[in-house]
């Protein structure tokens, strides 16, 4: 709230300067009506002062034209409707001599006097600046006529409306105030024409840019403007200052008319018409602000499309950009994440690659994921902190943010877009189906295999085929991914094709389990799954339902001289056996150790992270990453060696 108060104060100071900063010699033509219209008891306008804002230009001392900051001008147009555009004068505080006039008539007089001054400024803009620049453009050909027309937009229409209709109507009504004490009907009749201001306000920022550009670019252009600005009619103010007048005019109508309605007696004949006129003025102001907001949204959207290369299938003016920013893509093949960039719209998520040579487009769109049907959740991964999963019908991505706050923000933004789409779809279904609904549509699909892109298992998480359990090697048994379930499988187990709905029903490589499920075909006998052996306990299942699991260094001749690292698991459903896997996602363990009866020895002087299992000449040596992890493993193995088994799922879990 404090920041908003400062902005409103600065806007008020700016308008005060516009009204009161003319030099004494130049004030007679333009500013005098506005000084004279103040009611008795109002404070006189303050003398000219230096700008309060440091970036608005030079001080107002002297007669040189003053320039307004372009940044300030571009930000001004969105703050117009809420700014205190004039000081509040409370009539009647110090009664003047003679008969006191009604409060509402004084406000109408104020409206008329400010309208006269405003029409004089419109005349200066349209009949002096605009016409002189057009005449110079036609004569010297030093700058195009179209540039002049773009700068002044529809100022001619605005000037003619106020000079020929609005001001004369106000003057006639005030002249006959004794017989017809009302203005609500007049403003009602003319208020719809105020919507023409939306075009001027919408073009204002572009007009200021063109004015600055051609002032520097063209000497004849600059000479015409300088000559007019130095004249008495301009009041030593720049063209930019005068161009601000139409931008601020409608909010001032609204404030004056609001005060007029407040001062009217309860039974005044003009009260109903005045209130309706106030509503129409407010609508015109809203129309102008809405046009500016929509134009800015389209401009921002166009900038995004240009950075994306203007691809035809994503350019849509109805889209709304919700969030954008860099992320890291966790690869299922590479160990280090890759730089990527996301654009989240109200209906789609664009997964992009930054271009090295940014000629034209800055990004290349790799994947478009529809928000409809998309799911997002946080991932628990010690190797990649702040990671989250985006699962869509077209593709599933594992992404990493730069911080926990950024990850949460991405998840919340995606979920908000998903909720909005679902809410809209539910409303549409309710409207189409009626109150009863469609029972078939309400039944949830229990199996999404082939309907959405799966989360692919990373290559380094497995050392063997997740279907046949045969070890991978670089030559004869390479890694492949099933496009339906995301498992890492060998070529023999993925030698099948099935149509996947999320992939536009194109035939894609799948494993034999997904092939039978999706097609209903029976596999030949030579390709049926083998009988599961004692070591074929799935590592992933064991980890999720384990009493203890983590990586351990396998030390000593028992494991080989290389001392590999193994994924060790004590499953909850088999709590007396230690299973050792080569990788966390392997379908088969390469070693199992029955722990019953073993003696557990914790730590040595050489390395306190080492512990051992010993029984009847069998010796297994392990090394944990930390002493705390070693203590947990020793406790788990001592319990298993004594024959302890969990009685239920709530029993103590020591897993990492």
């Amino acid at each position: 709230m404090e920041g908003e108060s400062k902005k409103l104060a600065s806007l008020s100071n700016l308008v005060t300067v516009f009204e009161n900063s003319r030099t004494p010699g130049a004030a007679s033509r333009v500013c005098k009506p506005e000084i004279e219209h103040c009611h008795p008891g109002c404070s006189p306008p303050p003398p000219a002062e230096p700008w309060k804002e440091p970036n608005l230009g030079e001080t107002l001392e002297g007669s040189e034209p003053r320039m307004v900051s372009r940044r300030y001008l571009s930000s001004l147009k969105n703050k117009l409707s809420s700014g205190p555009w004039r000081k509040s004068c409370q009539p009647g505080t110090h009664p003047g001599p003679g008969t006191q006039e009604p409060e509402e008539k004084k406000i109408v007089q104020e409206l008329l006097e400010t309208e006269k001054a405003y029409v004089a400024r419109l005349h200066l803009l349209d009949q002096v600046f605009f016409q002189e620049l057009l005449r110079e453009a036609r004569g010297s050909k030093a700058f195009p006529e179209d540039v002049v027309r773009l700068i002044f937009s529809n100022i001619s229409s605005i000037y003619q409306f106020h000079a020929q209709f609005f001001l004369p109507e106000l003057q006639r009504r005030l002249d006959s105030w004794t017989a017809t004490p009302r203005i609500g009907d007049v403003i009602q009749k003319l208020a719809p024409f105020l919507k023409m201001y939306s075009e001027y306000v919408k073009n204002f920022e572009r007009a200021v840019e063109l004015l600055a550009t051609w002032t520097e670019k063209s000497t004849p252009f600059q000479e015409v403007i300088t000559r007019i600005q130095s004249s008495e009619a301009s009041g030593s103010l720049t063209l930019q200052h005068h161009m601000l007048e139409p931008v601020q005019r409608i909010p001032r109508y609204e404030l004056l008319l609001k005060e007029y309605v407040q001062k009217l007696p309860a039974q005044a004949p003009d009260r109903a018409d005045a209130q309706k006129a106030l509503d129409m003025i407010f609508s015109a102001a809203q129309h102008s602000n809405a046009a500016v907001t929509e134009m800015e949204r389209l401009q921002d959207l166009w900038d995004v499309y240009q950075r994306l290369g203007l691809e035809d299938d994503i350019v849509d003016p109805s889209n709304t950009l919700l969030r954008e920013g860099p992320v890291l893509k966790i690869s299922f093949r590479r160990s280090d994440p890759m730089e990527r960039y996301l654009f989240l719209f109200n209906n789609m998520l664009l997964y992009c690659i930054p271009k090295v040579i940014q000629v034209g487009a800055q990004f290349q769109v790799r994947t478009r994921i529809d928000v409809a049907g998309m799911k997002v959740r946080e991932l628990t991964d010690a190797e990649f902190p702040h990671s989250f999963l985006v699962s869509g019908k077209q593709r599933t991505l594992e992404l990493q943010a730069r911080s926990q706050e950024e990850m949460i923000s991405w998840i919340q933004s995606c979920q908000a877009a998903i909720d909005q789409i679902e809410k809209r779809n539910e409303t549409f279904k309710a409207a189409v189906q009626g109150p009863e609904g469609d029972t078939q549509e309400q039944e949830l699909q229990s199996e999404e295999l082939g309907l959405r892109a799966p989360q692919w298992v990373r290559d380094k998480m497995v050392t063997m085929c997740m279907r046949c359990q045969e070890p991978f090697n670089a030559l004869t048994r390479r890694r492949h991914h099933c496009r339906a379930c995301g498992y890492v499988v060998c070529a023999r187990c993925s030698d099948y094709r099935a149509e996947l709905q999320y992939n536009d029903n194109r035939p894609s490589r799948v494993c034999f389990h997904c092939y039978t499920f999706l097609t209903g075909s029976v596999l030949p006998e030579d390709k049926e799954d083998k009988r599961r052996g004692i070591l074929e306990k799935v590592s992933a299942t064991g980890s999720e339902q384990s009493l203890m699991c983590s990586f351990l260094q396998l030390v000593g001749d028992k494991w080989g001289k290389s001392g590999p690292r193994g994924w060790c698991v004590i499953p909850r459903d088999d709590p007396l056996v230690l299973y050792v896997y080569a990788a966390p996602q392997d379908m088969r363990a390469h070693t199992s150790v029955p722990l019953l009866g073993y003696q557990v020895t914790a730590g040595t002087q050489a390395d306190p992270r080492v512990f051992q299992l010993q029984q009847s000449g069998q010796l297994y040596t392990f090394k944990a990453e930390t002493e705390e992890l070693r203590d947990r493993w020793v406790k788990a193995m001592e319990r298993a060696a004594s024959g302890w088994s969990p009685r239920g799922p709530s029993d103590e879990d020591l897993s990492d």
Side-chain angles (χ1 to χ4, degrees), residues 189-303:
K189 180 175 66 174
L190 301 178
F193 293 97
L194 296 179
K195 291 184 178 180
M196 73 175 69
Y197 276 81
S198 62
E199 181 179 346
Y200 184 89
V201 175
K202 185 169 60 177
N203 184 66
F204 179 75
E205 184 176 4
R206 175 62 174 161
V208 171
E209 292 176 356
L210 286 172
L211 179 60
T213 300
W214 282 94
T215 301
E216 298 176 0
K217 188 175 180 179
S218 173
T219 302
F221 186 93
Q222 183 182 15
E223 290 176 351
V224 172
I225 293 178
T226 304
R227 173 168 49 83
I228 301 175
Q229 287 177 164
S230 60
S231 65
E232 181 182 355
S234 184
S236 297
L237 294 176
T238 66
L239 175 55
Q240 289 177 328
H241 286 80
H242 295 299
M243 289 172 62
L244 273 171
E245 296 286 349
V247 176
Q248 69 178 2
R249 188 57 184 168
I250 292 183
R252 298 180 73 180
Y253 283 141
E254 184 181 354
L255 291 173
L256 281 169
L257 195 56
K258 186 180 297 184
E259 187 177 352
Y260 174 75
V261 172
Q262 292 174 352
K263 298 297 184 182
L264 281 175
Q267 304 301 324
D270 194 27
R271 189 168 187 85
D273 285 340
Q275 183 61 53
K276 187 175 180 181
L278 177 61
D279 295 339
M280 297 177 71
I281 293 289
F282 176 77
S283 175
Q286 292 295 101
H287 187 272
S288 179
N289 292 339
V292 174
T293 302
E294 177 65 13
M295 178 57 69
E296 290 181 342
R297 186 190 73 83
L298 292 175
Q299 182 62 46
D300 293 341
L301 197 61
W302 181 251
D303 293 340

Side-chain angles (χ1 to χ4, degrees), residues 62-327:
S63 59
E64 291 297 322
R66 292 161 296 279
M67 301 298 294
V68 177
S69 166
R70 290 176 61 190
R71 180 174 63 83
Y72 192 85
L73 291 173
S74 63
S75 66
L76 178 65
K77 63 185 187 309
N78 291 327
K79 305 180 180 69
L80 297 174
S81 61
S82 60
W85 290 105
R86 62 185 184 88
K87 287 189 174 183
S88 176
C89 293
Q90 299 297 334
T93 306
H94 304 285
T99 306
Q100 188 75 11
E101 293 183 338
E103 300 289 342
E104 61 271 21
K105 183 179 180 182
K106 293 179 181 180
I107 298 173
V108 175
Q109 289 174 338
E110 180 180 355
L111 176 62
L112 178 62
E113 295 301 325
T114 57
E115 185 69 13
K116 290 178 180 178
Y118 178 57
V119 169
R121 294 164 197 161
L122 290 177
H123 180 274
L124 179 66
L125 279 173
D126 180 53
Q127 298 298 311
V128 182
F129 278 107
F130 183 32
Q131 297 301 328
E132 287 291 330
L133 285 171
L134 273 182
R135 190 176 298 109
E136 180 66 26
R138 292 166 182 164
S140 66
K141 305 295 182 180
F143 50 92
E145 291 185 38
D146 291 342
V147 170
V148 180
R149 299 184 188 280
L150 285 173
I151 290 175
F152 291 92
S153 187
N154 61 335
I155 193 66
S156 297
S157 300
I158 295 174
Y159 168 64
Q160 291 175 8
F161 166 73
H162 285 272
Q164 299 178 17
F165 297 98
F166 202 72
L167 179 59
E169 287 286 343
L170 287 177
Q171 183 68 61
R172 280 193 291 269
R173 188 51 56 92
L174 188 61
D175 292 342
S176 61
W177 186 262
T178 304
T180 315
R182 58 196 307 155
I183 60 167
D185 54 340
V186 172
I187 297 179
Q188 279 187 53
K189 180 175 66 174
L190 301 178
F193 293 97
L194 296 179
K195 291 184 178 180
M196 73 175 69
Y197 276 81
S198 62
E199 181 179 346
Y200 184 89
V201 175
K202 185 169 60 177
N203 184 66
F204 179 75
E205 184 176 4
R206 175 62 174 161
V208 171
E209 292 176 356
L210 286 172
L211 179 60
T213 300
W214 282 94
T215 301
E216 298 176 0
K217 188 175 180 179
S218 173
T219 302
F221 186 93
Q222 183 182 15
E223 290 176 351
V224 172
I225 293 178
T226 304
R227 173 168 49 83
I228 301 175
Q229 287 177 164
S230 60
S231 65
E232 181 182 355
S234 184
S236 297
L237 294 176
T238 66
L239 175 55
Q240 289 177 328
H241 286 80
H242 295 299
M243 289 172 62
L244 273 171
E245 296 286 349
V247 176
Q248 69 178 2
R249 188 57 184 168
I250 292 183
R252 298 180 73 180
Y253 283 141
E254 184 181 354
L255 291 173
L256 281 169
L257 195 56
K258 186 180 297 184
E259 187 177 352
Y260 174 75
V261 172
Q262 292 174 352
K263 298 297 184 182
L264 281 175
Q267 304 301 324
D270 194 27
R271 189 168 187 85
D273 285 340
Q275 183 61 53
K276 187 175 180 181
L278 177 61
D279 295 339
M280 297 177 71
I281 293 289
F282 176 77
S283 175
Q286 292 295 101
H287 187 272
S288 179
N289 292 339
V292 174
T293 302
E294 177 65 13
M295 178 57 69
E296 290 181 342
R297 186 190 73 83
L298 292 175
Q299 182 62 46
D300 293 341
L301 197 61
W302 181 251
D303 293 340
V304 171
Y305 289 153
Q306 287 181 316
R307 293 159 62 196
L308 295 172
L310 297 175
E311 297 193 18
D312 294 338
D313 58 339
I314 64 172
V315 175
D316 187 344
S318 64
N319 291 342
T320 301
L321 180 66
L322 304 180
R323 182 183 173 87
E324 64 170 287
V327 293

